[in-house]
């Protein structure tokens, strides 16, 4: 179960980085609605913290079991 949570956490962190870049690009290049862009950036940062925390908490180097 731990390996599955590492995979899901890593995937969530990766997707949140992509969403962050989309939010930044939307904020810089599409300036008609900045509120939506800021929400995308905020939610992606929150998702990255959750995903990275899940991945780090369940990651194991395979040493002690």
């Amino acid at each position: 179960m731990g390996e599955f949570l590492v995979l899901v956490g890593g995937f969530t962190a990766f997707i949140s980085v992509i969403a962050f870049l989309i939010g930044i690009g939307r904020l810089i290049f599409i300036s008609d609605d900045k509120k939506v862009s800021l929400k995308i950036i905020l939610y992606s940062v929150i998702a990255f913290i959750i995903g990275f925390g899940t991945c780090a908490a369940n990651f194991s180097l395979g040493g002690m079991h």
Side-chain angles (χ1 to χ4, degrees):
M1 183 69 180
E3 294 173 3
F4 175 73
L5 291 176
V6 170
L7 181 67
V8 170
F11 185 70
T12 303
F14 178 72
I15 294 297
S16 67
V17 169
I18 292 173
F20 181 79
L21 294 175
I22 290 171
I24 291 291
R26 196 178 144 102
L27 184 66
I28 292 172
F29 298 116
I30 304 171
S31 62
D32 59 344
D33 192 10
K34 293 185 185 228
K35 195 176 242 186
V36 173
S37 299
L38 292 175
K39 284 183 182 180
I40 292 171
I41 293 170
L42 177 66
Y43 294 152
S44 67
V45 169
I46 292 169
F48 180 79
I49 291 170
I50 292 170
F52 185 77
T54 302
C55 186
N58 292 303
F59 186 72
S60 174
L61 294 176
M64 294 184 203
H65 288 309

